[in-house]
Amino acid sequence: MEARSVEAIPRGEEWQYEPKWDGFRCLLSRDGAHVTMQSKAGEDLARYFPEVVAAARELKATRFTLDGELVVPQAKSFSFDALLQRIHPAASRVKKLSAETPALFLAFDLLATAKEKELIAQTLHDRRPVLEAFAKANFAGHPTFRLSPATTRYATAQDWLSHSGGGSDGVIAKRIDLPYQAGNRDGMQKIKRYRSADCVIGGFRYATNKGANGRKLVGSLLLGLYDDDGLLHHVGFTSALKRDEKPALTDKLEPLISPPGFTGNAPGGPSRWSTERSAEWCPLKPKLVIEVCYDHFSGERFRHGTSILRWRPDKAPKQCTFDQLKQKVADPLKLLA
């Protein structure tokens, strides 16, 4: 069951709302002692989360299929960075991390039980009470498994969206009058909260394709923010550049090329985002500021690419600090209580 991205929370009696968790989507099935965990892409997740497999075997029910999200709690939030670290080829590392950063499984749908083998044919209106009863009978005393909250109140969904962050990055809206929509986006929508930040352009990369007359043109801008010690850290990029504006933008950037560009974390440094192209960038004097739109910030980076809202010639580069990204967010663990 996939989600279609929309800009606003839909309203109507046909909708149920849930927090959109920032984790790994997972179908977890148990048949006696056999437990499988499958990602949205069909990959096996069980080998990376042995503690979840062990916890599933301890549940009272011996045959079931749950749809949910894997998350890793840290302090008062869920850490996507810690979750990414769990995907490791070494068995010894997997074992170590399963003890140091154990995952939770947040269940938001029940697709089958030993008694009801084809719940996917039922509407969400009928499946949700079965899931809640299943959670009440099985999850008590097994903290690895939690019931993800749901509501039909639009005001509650708005509150979840406004306080998203720290492990929840928006709201999921599901049609309660439809059966499980496997393989399509007709029954589920996702709504994210977008924010803006002023960033220094600390460098840029040339586009792979050249422009007219074989000239190299800018392909993406590298974004930076200052920390409390005055160091400029690379925090992400934007490649949302209009083609007809690239020649003029290249003319604007090239005279500013000067090392080091970033004085803190820089592109090409050791990180899970590094690629061969990470080192192929041009450092700039910290003179230019742009305001960008983003949806999620974690691990001192924008999780996805950003879009440009406007240039900020009125903004001093030194004003572009991490402080502007601090926000009041809900404690995700309290939503599960």
Side-chain angles (χ1 to χ4, degrees):
M1 190 166 172
E2 300 285 347
R4 178 177 290 112
S5 295
V6 297
E7 293 184 357
I9 302 173
R11 302 190 70 160
E13 295 181 353
E14 71 273 26
W15 293 102
Q16 171 182 290
Y17 311 110
E18 304 170 12
K20 183 184 180 300
W21 302 114
D22 188 27
F24 290 163
R25 181 81 173 274
C26 178
L27 281 178
L28 187 150
S29 296
R30 179 185 178 188
D31 185 359
H34 184 60
V35 176
T36 61
M37 296 172 62
Q38 181 178 304
S39 74
K40 192 163 58 174
E43 300 295 327
D44 174 32
L45 292 173
R47 69 178 300 268
Y48 302 114
F49 298 93
E51 77 281 16
V52 178
V53 172
R57 291 192 179 119
E58 294 177 355
L59 298 183
K60 181 179 179 181
T62 58
R63 287 179 174 81
F64 57 85
T65 297
L66 290 166
D67 191 357
E69 197 93 0
L70 289 167
V71 297
V72 170
Q74 282 193 348
K76 293 184 178 181
S77 66
F78 297 148
S79 172
F80 192 79
D81 296 323
L83 185 65
L84 283 176
Q85 296 284 355
R86 296 296 306 273
I87 308 301
H88 199 281
S92 59
R93 181 68 173 170
V94 169
K95 182 179 180 180
K96 183 175 185 290
L97 291 177
S98 69
E100 293 179 350
T101 56
L104 302 180
F105 185 93
L106 312 183
F108 47 66
D109 213 336
L110 180 63
L111 307 186
T113 65
K115 182 179 179 181
E116 300 180 81
K117 298 180 180 179
E118 291 295 332
L119 284 170
I120 59 174
Q122 299 184 23
T123 65
L124 179 60
H125 179 271
D126 295 328
R127 293 199 313 275
R128 179 70 191 189
V130 180
L131 169 64
E132 292 176 354
F134 180 91
K136 184 177 181 180
N138 288 275
F139 293 174
H142 300 282
T144 297
F145 285 85
R146 306 291 184 90
L147 177 65
S148 184
T151 184
T152 56
R153 296 186 66 250
Y154 179 78
T156 301
Q158 284 185 308
D159 184 64
W160 286 343
L161 183 62
S162 65
H163 291 93
S164 60
S168 170
D169 61 358
V171 168
I172 291 289
K174 297 178 179 177
R175 289 279 295 271
I176 62 174
D177 56 337
L178 296 178
Y180 191 84
Q181 300 294 298
N184 69 61
R185 304 177 189 273
D186 295 336
M188 187 162 70
Q189 297 182 355
K190 58 183 178 182
I191 307 94
K192 292 186 177 183
R193 180 186 176 195
Y194 288 90
R195 308 168 178 89
S196 70
D198 295 319
C199 297
V200 179
I201 302 177
F204 72 95
R205 291 193 179 97
Y206 284 108
T208 303
N209 299 323
K210 295 182 179 180
N213 301 321
R215 182 190 180 191
K216 292 196 299 182
L217 297 175
V218 60
S220 62
L221 305 177
L222 305 181
L223 309 175
L225 292 173
Y226 284 101
D227 65 13
D228 293 339
D229 295 323
L231 298 177
L232 182 63
H233 295 272
H234 176 230
V235 295
F237 71 96
T238 182
S239 57
L241 307 174
K242 295 180 180 179
R243 181 180 301 179
D244 59 350
E245 296 178 354
K246 287 184 177 181
L249 180 56
T250 305
D251 290 338
K252 186 175 185 177
L253 296 177
E254 288 181 333
L256 296 176
I257 294 177
S258 177
F262 297 98
T263 52
N265 297 329
S271 82
R272 65 182 62 88
W273 293 278
S274 297
T275 66
E276 290 183 3
R277 291 196 65 235
S278 295
E280 300 173 2
W281 63 283
C282 299
L284 294 178
K285 296 177 181 178
K287 299 290 186 180
L288 303 175
V289 175
I290 56 172
E291 183 180 3
V292 298
C293 178
Y294 70 97
D295 66 344
H296 202 73
F297 188 87
S298 66
E300 296 192 341
R301 281 187 63 101
F302 296 116
R303 275 271 306 283
H304 311 109
T306 65
S307 58
I308 299 174
L309 293 178
R310 56 178 174 159
W311 290 87
R312 295 297 307 267
D314 58 315
K315 192 88 171 183
K318 287 292 185 180
Q319 292 178 293
C320 300
T321 64
F322 283 99
D323 289 344
Q324 65 185 302
L325 302 180
K326 294 179 180 179
Q327 55 176 320
K328 183 178 180 181
V329 299
D331 181 346
L333 290 173
K334 289 184 178 180
L335 295 180
L336 302 173

